[in-house]
Amino acid sequence: MRLFVRSLALAPFALSAAACGHTAIRVDGVMNESSEMRPLQNVPGDAYRQVKIFVRTATDDARGSEVCGYTQVEGTLESEDLKNAACVPADAQNDAVRIVRQRLRSYGVQVVRDGTEAYDYAVDVRVAGVAPKQPNRLAAKAVARLTFSLRKDDAANGFLSGIDVGAAGAAFTSAAKDCALVDAEMSAFSVSSTQPMNPAFDMMALAAGAVDNAVGCDQLARFFRDAHTRFPKAPAPPAPAPPP
């Protein structure tokens, strides 16, 4: 696989212990991006043809600044204030959003351009550093988390139109459990992917892996493909005839 490297390392961050309180180490990630997309998971090609998704940056990270994770060093007291910090590059969030959109389209999902269009799920993308519990720079990691939220104000006109939500919801929960999605419901679920933040840190693998862990799971794909035929909503009873 060919790689191209974009230097996204942040400038060295030198602050006194009194200024920031994190005195062990600080890792500012350098990010690579694969020039070729990873092979897709083997799921039915038409599984997501009816699903529309709006991908966006997680709202609390919308400013686009670096996202750091802090962890107290093992064997120390909180009062000793010895913590590790791991920070992803400033552009990681925006790059992850772009890759997630690309990966979803590759699975046949309809990805809308912005929030003014009709969509079924909003996907919030968050990328953050994960600091190790030991002061070891090579143990730092990056995590990408995708949170899927059903758009309730448009549900009646979207994917759920014509579906018995009660019956479908139970089937979704079962499929999500098989896909190792914890505490997942049809209305909201999340998935994550982790990569070591070493010189080979690959944003394509990180963001695409998070998508694969959700829509790339066969059980979930088959749920979305078959939901309208397996769980049709009962037709509304006919209106009573007017009195003679």
Side-chain angles (χ1 to χ4, degrees):
M1 177 178 290
R2 296 180 290 110
L3 295 178
F4 70 93
V5 179
R6 295 181 300 162
S7 179
L8 295 176
L10 301 177
F13 202 87
L15 292 178
S16 67
C20 68
H22 306 296
T23 58
I25 63 169
R26 179 182 175 102
V27 176
D28 291 327
V30 179
M31 193 165 60
N32 304 325
E33 185 177 319
S34 304
S35 59
E36 299 176 2
M37 182 174 285
R38 299 167 49 180
L40 298 175
Q41 300 298 305
N42 186 23
V43 299
D46 59 347
Y48 300 105
R49 69 185 186 280
Q50 299 183 65
V51 183
K52 294 182 179 180
I53 288 182
F54 171 42
V55 182
R56 62 193 181 190
T57 301
T59 53
D60 57 343
D61 298 325
R63 62 190 183 279
S65 63
E66 63 183 359
V67 181
C68 303
Y70 301 98
T71 302
Q72 187 172 347
V73 179
E74 286 183 345
T76 65
L77 300 175
E78 186 175 357
S79 60
E80 293 179 274
D81 199 27
L82 296 177
K83 296 181 180 180
N84 294 328
C87 304
V88 297
D91 289 345
Q93 194 88 352
N94 291 333
D95 284 359
V97 169
R98 170 177 52 80
I99 294 169
V100 167
R101 287 171 176 157
Q102 179 185 6
R103 192 71 169 176
L104 287 169
R105 288 190 182 102
S106 297
Y107 278 108
V109 176
Q110 299 181 60
V111 179
V112 303
R113 291 173 296 179
D114 55 55
T116 64
E117 298 185 39
Y119 63 87
D120 300 299
Y121 282 94
V123 177
D124 292 308
V125 180
R126 176 181 287 103
V127 181
V130 180
K133 293 184 178 181
Q134 300 81 26
N136 178 2
R137 297 178 60 86
L138 298 180
K141 298 179 181 179
V143 60
R145 177 171 293 277
L146 311 181
T147 302
F148 291 71
S149 302
L150 187 66
R151 182 175 180 175
K152 296 181 174 60
D153 61 343
D154 199 36
N157 300 316
F159 176 77
L160 295 183
S161 176
I163 291 179
D164 181 338
V165 175
F172 177 92
T173 301
S174 177
K177 183 177 180 181
D178 291 339
C179 294
L181 300 180
V182 180
D183 299 326
E185 297 180 356
M186 194 163 60
S187 59
F189 59 98
S190 62
V191 66
S192 62
S193 174
T194 304
Q195 283 272 312
M197 203 188 296
N198 55 31
F201 171 32
D202 184 353
M203 178 53 71
M204 177 68 79
L206 180 70
V211 176
D212 291 349
N213 289 341
V215 302
C217 178
D218 183 68
Q219 291 90 333
L220 203 67
R222 293 182 183 279
F223 166 82
F224 279 101
R225 184 193 64 178
D226 301 334
H228 286 88
T229 54
R230 288 180 60 195
F231 313 108
K233 182 183 295 185

